[in-house]
Amino acid sequence: MSRDEGSSAERWDKRYRAAAEAPFGEAPNVYLKTICARPDFAAETALSLADGDGRNGAWLAERGLAVTAVDVSAVATERAKAFDRRRGVTVARITADLADWSPEPGQSWDAVFVIYLQGTTALRLRALKVAAAALTPGGWLVVEGFSKAQAGRPDIGPNDPDRLYALEELRAAVPDLAVIEAWAGRLDLDEGPRHRGEAEIVRFTARRPV
Ligand SMILES: C[S@@+](CC[C@H](N)C(=O)[O-])C[C@H]1O[C@@H](n2cnc3c(N)ncnc32)[C@H](O)[C@@H]1O
């Protein structure tokens, strides 16, 4: 099967089923942790989009946040629920496709994390708009993903430019938010067997004005 065949759910279910260990590790994403450590980060509720098998959602819940997590893969979500149980936390986990998922009317969160959502531009832009609209005043949007400079390096992450991030695209997707950080560059990733090695990354954080 090529990397882009089949629906998102089928492809990701297959990957998670084939993975003996957590593909992206059990420790939270480094950038997510860095933002949570800021003295001005005081979120009490969080939404983690494309939360996968649970490392980020569970870690946020361990810190006392009330967490909702969404992922298209039912296999990943089941693994995430087992991970939550092992960690002694509760996360409201939803299996849904971000191509059409929206929060219930009136639902909002103090922080929304989008960590390595690797879909098409249309999917990623929709998810970012849903994320921005779901922020409480002062709420944080935090994104990390492979940048377009990663195209042609198929050893790690997507190869197709349509599935890779650009800072201009991120800024344009959330024009009502105040950008706190927009960084692109090369990092030595060490986040599980699938995200290990040098890669071109974007990191983007923005806040809804109060
Ligand atoms: C690279 S993994 C990252 C998982 C997690 N954020 C982490 O950092 O450990 C990408 C995740 O996006 C999910 N995903 C892909 N397409 C999706 C979609 N259309 N809707 C919701 N989740 C999706 C996959 O199931 C997978 O769990």
Side-chain angles (χ1 to χ4, degrees):
M1 182 187 225
S2 86
R3 295 204 298 176
D4 291 343
E5 263 175 54
S7 74
S8 290
E10 285 166 2
R11 279 187 290 120
W12 282 101
D13 278 351
K14 189 172 172 180
R15 286 179 192 173
Y16 281 109
R17 227 179 257 119
E21 56 181 302
F24 312 103
E26 294 195 345
N29 169 257
V30 170
Y31 187 50
L32 172 147
K33 260 182 92 169
T34 306
I35 296 299
C36 290
R38 286 175 60 115
D40 54 350
F41 185 88
E44 295 180 353
T45 60
L47 172 65
S48 179
L49 297 179
D51 195 58
D53 56 0
R55 62 181 181 133
N56 295 321
W59 186 83
L60 292 164
E62 278 173 351
R63 287 175 55 92
L65 280 80
V67 182
T68 303
V70 178
D71 199 280
V72 75
S73 166
V75 175
T77 302
E78 281 313 307
R79 285 173 71 137
K81 286 178 181 170
F83 188 60
D84 295 342
R85 283 193 292 276
R86 289 204 300 280
R87 304 298 275 247
V89 296
T90 302
V91 173
R93 295 200 176 272
I94 300 166
T95 302
D97 192 335
L98 292 169
D100 51 27
W101 179 82
S102 296
E104 298 295 323
Q107 257 188 318
S108 58
W109 291 269
D110 301 332
V112 181
F113 296 93
V114 185
I115 305 296
Y116 290 99
L117 171 63
Q118 301 178 167
T120 61
T121 303
L123 174 79
R124 291 180 296 106
L125 293 185
R126 181 182 186 278
L128 290 168
K129 287 184 186 302
V130 166
L135 288 174
T136 54
W140 300 73
L141 171 66
V142 181
V143 182
E144 181 172 305
F146 294 104
S147 80
K148 296 217 188 279
Q150 187 66 13
R153 303 184 63 194
D155 43 316
I156 178 169
N159 199 21
D160 175 359
D162 189 44
R163 291 174 182 266
L164 295 165
Y165 288 86
L167 290 179
E168 316 79 71
E169 174 193 273
L170 284 161
R171 288 180 198 276
V174 293
D176 298 339
L177 304 189
V179 177
I180 305 294
E181 180 178 23
W183 179 88
R186 186 172 292 198
L187 278 184
D188 197 6
L189 288 184
D190 186 11
E191 303 210 349
R194 283 193 76 106
H195 282 178
R196 190 168 288 143
E198 280 209 335
E200 300 288 343
I201 300 296
V202 297
R203 287 177 161 176
F204 180 84
T205 295
R207 295 185 74 177
R208 169 164 296 289
V210 176

